[in-house]
Amino acid sequence: MNVIDIRNGEVSLLTEFLDKRRKGGKDVSDIVRDIINNIRERGDAALKEYTEKFDGFKYSLESDITVTREEIDEAYKKVSSELKDVIKKAALNIDEFHQKQMAESFIYEKKDGIKLGTLRKPLKTVGIYVPAGTAPLPSSVLMNAIPAKVAGVKNIIMATPPGKTGVIDPAILVAADIAGVTKIYKMGGAQAIAAMAYGTETVDRVDKITGPGNVFVATATKLVFGECDIDMIAGPSEILILADKSADPEFLAADMLSQAEHDKLASSILITAEEELISKVSEEVARRLALLPRKEVAESSINNYGAIVIARDKEQAVEAANIVAPEHLELCIEDAFEYLDKIENAGAVFLGNYTPEPLGDYFAGPNHVLPTTGTARFSSPLNVWDFIKQTSVISYTREALLKSADDVIKFAEAENLEAHAESIKVRRDREKK
């Protein structure tokens, strides 16, 4: 476990440590750009080739690419009653939370009959990407689809890799059905992102793409932005934990590993002013690592990007946390709510020793699609507003326009935009005749 001492004010030691991870990814832009262009030009034919090449699955575009109702019904039979109940409970919590983010369109009236407002309308079609591989993520289905459904999106399509057998993980299909996904495609990787962004003979073109993925998916999402909207450029998962003497070393170690098992590039960092926690947490991490099924992944993450940071006090720890701007921030301190207002940059904050981060991943209700790699400085979790577009409404009466005409003309002329000024003048002068 890496140990970083910032008690002398050297917070830069922590940022330098994190920069090592941020610069560690490989650039696959050229490869992904070729895939996107090929999908754009050749549609289904290119999609078929890439699916066979990268996923090992050969399908008939007329049928196999789209998951059928029969496949979904079969998935329900394969998922235990207990898991189905949990997915439904989580969906209800997520729905309840996101319902509170909704706001109606509005129009208000000022003097002289001026009416101003905002129309709020859902996007028409949204595409969500759900990774497969060794860790299928039905929770990601819920977190991406439910806010879209709450926002009023009618067409929610989902892309997920089919694997060599062409069979989608049943829990993913069940979660998609519960969350209100309207169509599911068996496709993955950069080719799936391109297919949703541009549309093909089979795949619907979308207005926005959300959801996590590997470096190829993330790069493709970045490159198609502008053709459609995207949620964010997601990096590897990360957790930052602030702990004081009230924290339990076993809890802290377990929480650090909960992120480390995601990805070899995941980062788990503990910041504390309690020196005795260093050895206790390090020993507990080592003990728990040996028992993990995903030990190889978690061990690489902890060795390369895990750290315990020694701070002077909680105030310095909070300062460091705000500089890092972590995806997940746990305040495992006895006076957690007193420090909440001091947190400026974090994707999600978990308060107290009995609010571990996995509650947010699966069940609590707030979205688990969060800004990573320091982007919490300027961006927010996925939410209902990501699926709503706003249109401004402006209505002036004759009297209101005449009262404002000279001011608008002066502004337009100051910018040397005479046609703008004339648009006002022609109405003002007509009334003078």
Side-chain angles (χ1 to χ4, degrees):
M1 180 80 72
N2 299 283
V3 177
I4 302 170
D5 192 336
I6 63 169
R7 285 175 292 187
N8 292 327
E10 297 173 321
V11 179
S12 61
L13 293 174
L14 176 56
T15 57
E16 288 169 7
F17 175 75
L18 292 170
D19 282 343
K20 178 179 66 172
R21 181 176 73 124
R22 292 170 184 168
K23 296 173 182 177
K26 59 180 179 178
D27 185 0
V28 296
S29 298
D30 289 342
I31 298 172
V32 171
R33 195 173 284 109
D34 286 342
I35 293 172
I36 291 172
N37 289 336
N38 203 9
I39 294 289
R40 185 179 185 181
E41 293 170 6
R42 299 177 56 235
D44 281 351
L47 182 59
K48 178 180 179 180
E49 291 170 6
Y50 286 126
T51 302
E52 291 179 15
K53 179 178 180 180
F54 297 127
D55 294 315
F57 176 61
K58 183 175 182 178
Y59 54 63
S60 164
L61 290 170
E62 290 74 22
S63 58
D64 289 353
I65 189 171
T66 306
V67 173
T68 64
R69 182 68 239 180
E70 290 73 21
E71 288 177 285
I72 295 171
D73 291 340
E74 188 64 27
Y76 270 95
K77 298 175 185 177
K78 296 178 180 178
V79 176
S80 69
S81 298
E82 292 82 2
L83 180 54
K84 281 183 284 195
D85 287 343
V86 169
I87 291 173
K88 289 175 183 177
K89 288 178 184 177
L92 287 173
N93 289 342
I94 296 164
D95 181 89
E96 177 187 55
F97 177 84
H98 288 86
Q99 289 284 354
K100 296 183 183 301
Q101 296 176 339
M102 289 293 289
E104 300 292 332
S105 299
F106 67 89
I107 294 179
Y108 68 97
E109 189 167 347
K110 298 176 67 175
K111 292 188 294 185
D112 302 315
I114 297 172
K115 294 179 180 178
L116 306 172
T118 296
L119 291 180
R120 292 173 172 144
K121 302 287 185 180
L123 301 179
K124 182 179 179 182
T125 304
V126 167
I128 65 174
Y129 186 87
V130 179
T134 59
L137 303 174
S139 60
S140 285
V141 179
L142 302 182
M143 293 292 182
N144 283 272
I146 291 176
K149 185 179 179 183
V150 170
V153 178
K154 298 300 183 185
N155 303 312
I156 305 172
I157 74 171
M158 186 178 91
T160 190
K164 293 182 179 180
T165 63
V167 177
I168 306 299
D169 181 85
I172 286 179
L173 294 183
V174 169
D177 194 53
I178 290 170
V181 172
T182 52
K183 192 178 291 185
I184 304 168
Y185 295 114
K186 300 176 183 180
M187 58 182 186
Q191 61 272 21
I193 301 300
M196 291 191 288
Y198 292 99
T200 73
E201 298 92 328
T202 304
V203 180
D204 296 337
R205 184 182 183 185
V206 304
D207 302 312
K208 182 163 190 164
I209 297 173
T210 71
N214 61 20
V215 64
F216 293 94
V217 170
T219 302
T221 302
K222 183 178 180 179
L223 291 175
V224 300
F225 176 60
E227 187 63 36
C228 63
D229 194 14
I230 63 174
D231 54 349
M232 62 186 75
I233 307 298
S237 189
E238 58 200 26
I239 188 171
L240 186 69
I241 306 173
L242 270 59
D244 63 10
K245 59 184 178 182
S246 72
D248 187 314
E250 286 189 67
F251 294 180
L252 299 176
D255 293 356
M256 293 177 77
L257 290 174
S258 73
Q259 295 308 293
E261 73 172 350
H262 266 299
D263 190 306
K264 290 182 178 182
L265 291 174
S267 175
S268 302
I269 294 174
L270 170 67
I271 303 182
T272 183
E274 309 297 328
E275 290 190 56
E276 61 269 22
L277 281 178
I278 299 174
S279 59
K280 291 180 180 179
V281 172
S282 295
E283 290 169 6
E284 188 63 24
V285 166
R287 185 184 74 81
R288 288 178 172 275
L289 257 178
L291 305 175
L292 283 181
R294 292 174 63 86
K295 177 188 174 184
E296 181 185 358
V297 172
E299 190 169 41
S300 177
S301 167
I302 288 294
N303 289 341
N304 292 307
Y305 306 113
I308 296 178
V309 179
I310 311 171
R312 282 193 308 272
D313 48 36
K314 277 187 271 195
E315 283 67 28
Q316 190 190 35
V318 168
E319 176 191 353
N322 283 327
I323 291 172
V324 173
E327 177 187 16
H328 307 101
L329 175 62
E330 286 188 4
L331 299 183
C332 294
I333 53 180
E334 53 190 353
D335 47 357
F337 273 92
E338 292 180 22
Y339 280 83
L340 180 58
D341 194 49
K342 298 178 181 179
I343 302 302
E344 297 175 357
N345 304 318
V349 183
F350 301 79
L351 294 105
N353 291 302
Y354 290 91
T355 316
E357 184 278 334
L359 278 172
D361 274 349
Y362 299 113
F363 201 75
N367 211 285
H368 80 194
V369 181
L370 304 169
T372 60
T373 56
T375 58
R377 290 185 299 109
F378 51 81
S379 57
S380 307
L382 190 70
N383 59 80
V384 165
W385 291 100
D386 284 302
F387 303 99
I388 293 175
K389 56 184 178 180
Q390 301 192 88
T391 301
S392 296
V393 177
I394 304 167
S395 174
Y396 270 54
T397 62
R398 170 182 168 276
E399 292 76 13
L401 173 64
L402 292 176
K403 185 176 287 188
S404 301
D406 289 345
D407 290 335
V408 180
I409 290 167
K410 287 176 184 177
F411 222 137
E413 290 176 342
E415 294 186 349
N416 295 319
L417 295 173
E418 189 59 35
H420 280 63
E422 285 296 323
S423 175
I424 304 295
K425 287 178 182 179
V426 69
R427 291 170 170 81
R428 180 198 64 180
D429 295 347
R430 173 76 60 82
E431 297 300 324
K432 288 181 177 181
K433 293 180 180 179

